[in-house]
Amino acid sequence: MEKKKFYVTTPIYYPSAKPHLGHAYCSTLADVVARGKRLRGYEVYFLTGLDEHGEKIQENAAAKGVSPQEFVDGVAEIFLKLWKALRLSNDDFIRTTQERHVKTVQAIFHKFIEDGDVYLGSYKGWYCVHEESYWTETQVGPEHLCPDCGRPVEQKSEEAYFFNCGKYVDSLLKYYDANPKFITPVGRKTEMINNFIKPGLNDLCVTRTTFDWGVPVLEKEGHVVYVWLDALTNYISALGYGQEDHSLFDKFWGEDSEIVHIVGADITRFHTIYWPMFLEALGLRKPDRVFVHGLLMMKDGKMSKSKGNVVYVEPLIERYGVDAVRYFLTREIVFGMDGTFTPEQFVERINNDLANDFGNLLNRTLGMLGKYYGGTVSARYEEAYDALDKELLNKAKATVKEYEILNDDLKVTESYAAVMDLVSSANKYIQDKAPWALAKDETKKKELSNAMNILCSIIFLAGTLLSPVLVDKAPELFDQLGLKEEERTYEKAISLESLEGTLTHKGNLLFPRLETEKEIAFIKDLMAGPKEKAAA
Ligand code: ME8
């Protein structure tokens, strides 16, 4: 059954610090997926948000001398500002401190208690009184010392609720088997089974009593819901599950909706083991896919705040425009694999693909159209098509098919690579056809007219297929092509129909070439940590 409703989510990030390029990566790709589906007529709901509870947030707030709510409110502003700059098209922004979410978490916890899916037990572990935290046997080592402060730890136990995982393991494995694409890339599934399920899954401790920045368990004073149960619930609380108005939930969590969670490799386990179990306990359907994207690495390893090697997105957007950043993230880093960020790759990618290939195709075509036809798209004479015309048009049709199949399979990078391959073919077509030579030959009028006409249709198609990424420049491109708002549809673009008679206007360069050395130096400077800068 082809599903025409599509629900896509990002992880809800911890507002513990300012977001960096790694967070922007996941959100941008999810946005590209959402826009790509909308473009093709799907009814889409795109969710992102923040995971605002937990001990760490409480500690960060205390360190700043503000309340946890004040602290998360401040960081939320920064996230929202960045998402706006990145032009995310999310339909909602869930924050786990919102009342609607808290209500859903409490309703779920209540149902778990009623149905016997959670039980009261005791949590045992090595406890550091100073740090107020539990550690595992391996973490404290043979000397039994706190890995954080080095003080001796003690065995302690506290009352806690546990989720009965054993009840749902078999059915989870069956779901994996019946839905081979549930966890993608597939290697992640093997990892989950071998590392976590086969060795035996312990029941999951789902409440805490050592801190209070969380959703209170109404049935037991002093208990707050474990931050991961709280966080995962966002995917349905945002749709209204357990609330008065659950129409969005009925629509986008129904069997006829495709549900995709996009997550980083670090949180696969929670999304592919515990989340489906919680859903089963609630009697709800499971997501179609958990798509695990790779991590953005720097030369010295994973980009992370604690490593001090983060790149912030704002200065990149400011200098190169949002499309350059979105394009780099989509095209350079294969979705599903780890990728690196280097200034050289960034500048080269933008110059090669956007300035040289796509930008040139547009400029040369509109330039020639201006020269030969006063800017009006020339007529198409199908009877005069030659092998080159047919080849390019066939390639364009095949590209549309490939783009749709790859996009549906979340092979996002590959789908945009296919479009850029069409762009290269169109540039080669110009070289091979040499319209400047046709223009000099009175007997080649129809050939010239065809060439210019076909190129306009190809540019319209490529611009449309790239529009989920190039959110800023695609409309400008359509302006230059002279297309009216109502003409800018996916159906029209993929039909490759003749745009004869449309008056184009060659405007500003959409993607100016970057001065390689200068821009590499600029980005390197952004990446230099405070220490390196001080030493310089
Ligand atoms: O784990 N490269 O939040 P979080 C690519 N609140 N992606 C990166 C990245 C990098 N270097 N660094 C972070 C949490 N990410 C939980 C999630 S969901 C119910 C709760 C992205 O702020 C990546 O998608 O630590 C990763 O999974 C996510 O940020 C983790 O964000």
Side-chain angles (χ1 to χ4, degrees):
M1 170 179 64
E2 202 207 351
K3 299 180 179 183
K4 274 293 191 184
K5 285 179 213 151
F6 188 75
Y7 181 38
V8 60
T9 66
T10 72
I12 49 170
Y13 308 103
Y14 291 125
S16 44
K18 202 178 140 160
H20 56 66
L21 196 63
H23 303 106
Y25 174 62
C26 178
S27 295
T28 302
L29 268 293
D31 185 61
V32 168
V33 168
R35 285 176 183 266
K37 285 280 188 184
R38 279 194 209 107
L39 177 69
R40 291 168 49 209
Y42 287 74
E43 205 175 345
V44 173
Y45 206 78
F46 169 29
L47 178 72
T48 186
L50 294 177
D51 185 358
E52 303 188 330
H53 287 131
E55 197 169 10
K56 254 191 238 150
I57 302 272
Q58 193 166 11
E59 283 170 2
N60 285 356
K64 289 230 152 154
V66 293
S67 74
Q69 191 65 57
E70 278 171 316
F71 178 78
V72 294
D73 285 350
V75 186
E77 285 299 314
I78 304 175
F79 269 88
L80 280 167
K81 207 168 149 205
L82 176 61
W83 293 165
K84 199 169 161 209
L86 265 175
R87 302 275 301 270
L88 296 195
S89 62
N90 51 304
D91 295 284
D92 194 358
F93 187 77
I94 181 98
R95 299 178 53 187
T96 55
T97 52
Q98 286 164 342
E99 204 186 320
R100 56 174 176 157
H101 173 79
V102 170
K103 209 170 154 191
T104 301
V105 174
Q106 287 174 334
I108 286 176
F109 207 87
H110 181 73
K111 187 164 162 53
F112 283 172
I113 293 181
E114 293 273 290
D115 297 348
D117 285 308
V118 296
Y119 59 89
L120 205 52
S122 67
Y123 185 82
K124 286 191 203 73
W126 291 100
Y127 189 72
C128 169
V129 184
H130 186 260
E131 298 289 324
E132 286 186 53
S133 57
Y134 278 97
W135 303 103
T136 62
E137 192 70 45
T138 343
Q139 285 169 323
V140 299
E143 313 245 296
H144 299 151
L145 298 177
C146 170
D148 258 9
C149 67
R151 293 180 171 83
V153 289
E154 57 191 55
Q155 274 278 2
K156 199 180 149 177
S157 71
E158 67 179 73
E159 193 183 48
Y161 279 96
F162 286 82
F163 182 84
N164 186 352
C165 292
K167 202 167 151 189
Y168 298 107
V169 176
D170 287 346
S171 139
L172 180 71
L173 290 171
K174 273 194 199 125
Y175 190 73
Y176 286 177
D177 281 344
N179 299 276
K181 293 207 163 175
F182 173 58
I183 308 178
T184 330
V186 74
R188 302 284 179 192
K189 177 168 96 180
T190 323
E191 201 181 303
M192 291 300 118
I193 297 177
N194 291 343
N195 297 356
F196 302 109
I197 302 180
K198 273 202 185 141
L201 210 55
N202 290 331
D203 286 351
L204 184 72
C205 178
V206 287
T207 62
R208 294 288 189 272
T209 52
T210 48
F211 61 94
D212 60 7
W213 184 239
V215 176
V217 173
L218 295 177
E219 291 77 3
K220 196 90 190 160
E221 223 191 303
H223 287 238
V224 294
V225 174
Y226 174 46
V227 72
W228 270 102
L229 170 55
D230 174 353
L232 289 161
T233 300
N234 91 88
Y235 300 129
I236 53 176
S237 69
L239 298 179
Y241 176 79
Q243 299 159 34
E244 233 160 79
D245 180 1
H246 45 78
S247 50
L248 280 172
F249 176 80
D250 298 342
K251 187 167 185 180
F252 288 101
W253 207 270
E255 283 301 332
D256 63 343
S257 172
E258 185 179 351
I259 303 172
V260 175
H261 297 309
I262 297 178
V263 302
D266 50 339
I267 57 176
T268 316
R269 181 166 64 108
F270 292 100
H271 285 82
T272 59
I273 297 179
Y274 300 115
W275 179 228
M277 288 189 177
F278 295 156
L279 287 167
E280 175 138 353
L282 294 169
L284 300 177
R285 60 154 296 182
K286 299 178 182 71
D288 291 284
R289 292 181 82 168
V290 174
F291 187 92
V292 184
H293 70 77
L295 291 176
L296 208 54
M297 315 290 279
M298 303 297 279
K299 278 198 184 120
D300 54 349
K302 179 189 161 184
M303 182 184 294
S304 74
K305 176 98 178 154
S306 50
K307 275 203 153 190
N309 62 358
V310 296
V311 175
Y312 292 110
V313 197
E314 293 85 346
L316 291 175
I317 298 180
E318 217 165 276
R319 193 163 176 100
Y320 306 110
V322 64
D323 285 3
V325 175
R326 291 173 64 100
Y327 184 78
F328 173 81
L329 294 176
T330 308
R331 179 65 190 87
E332 181 74 24
I333 301 150
V334 181
F335 200 38
M337 283 161 71
D338 287 347
T340 47
F341 175 86
T342 68
E344 290 81 2
Q345 278 167 288
F346 183 85
V347 174
E348 198 177 316
R349 182 55 81 182
I350 301 311
N351 275 346
N352 283 350
D353 291 19
L354 297 183
N356 291 356
D357 285 355
F358 196 43
N360 256 346
L361 175 64
L362 177 71
N363 295 331
R364 291 168 87 190
T365 302
L366 293 191
M368 290 189 286
L369 204 59
K371 200 160 157 196
Y372 307 138
Y373 298 99
T376 303
V377 179
S378 49
R380 192 184 278 194
Y381 304 95
E382 293 191 14
E383 72 284 2
Y385 279 177
D386 67 6
L388 290 174
D389 301 329
K390 286 183 197 156
E391 199 186 323
L392 184 62
L393 285 168
N394 284 339
K395 167 127 194 177
K397 280 181 208 145
T399 303
V400 174
K401 260 202 204 124
E402 200 184 347
Y403 173 86
E404 293 187 351
I405 292 171
L406 288 169
N407 258 317
D408 286 341
D409 204 17
L410 298 172
K411 296 205 165 94
V412 185
T413 308
E414 293 87 339
S415 74
Y416 290 96
V419 183
M420 292 314 289
D421 190 44
L422 174 65
V423 168
S424 298
S425 299
N427 276 320
K428 183 162 181 303
Y429 171 86
I430 297 184
Q431 249 6 80
D432 294 344
K433 288 289 269 198
W436 46 89
L438 298 176
K440 288 188 192 137
D441 185 341
E442 271 301 307
T443 67
K444 300 280 188 204
K445 276 194 165 155
K446 282 190 178 171
E447 282 81 350
L448 176 66
S449 186
N450 273 347
M452 301 317 301
N453 178 298
I454 290 174
L455 282 168
C456 289
S457 296
I458 298 286
I459 293 174
F460 177 30
L461 173 66
T464 304
L465 299 183
L466 290 169
S467 65
V469 180
L470 305 180
V471 294
D472 190 31
K473 299 292 182 181
E476 247 183 81
L477 169 83
F478 300 143
D479 284 345
Q480 295 201 10
L481 276 179
L483 296 165
K484 295 193 196 84
E485 285 289 336
E486 64 273 17
E487 289 178 308
R488 303 171 182 189
T489 67
Y490 185 72
E491 289 67 32
K492 188 173 166 77
I494 65 169
S495 75
L496 289 160
E497 67 188 44
S498 164
L499 302 175
E500 180 185 347
T502 310
L503 181 61
T504 64
H505 348 256
K506 193 165 185 278
N508 292 335
L509 274 188
L510 291 189
F511 307 103
R513 222 189 128 68
L514 305 179
E515 265 183 64
T516 308
E517 294 310 318
K518 184 172 154 204
E519 298 311 325
I520 289 176
F522 175 83
I523 304 173
K524 276 197 176 148
D525 194 48
L526 289 181
M527 291 163 64
K531 244 189 276 162
E532 285 170 55
K533 274 197 179 154

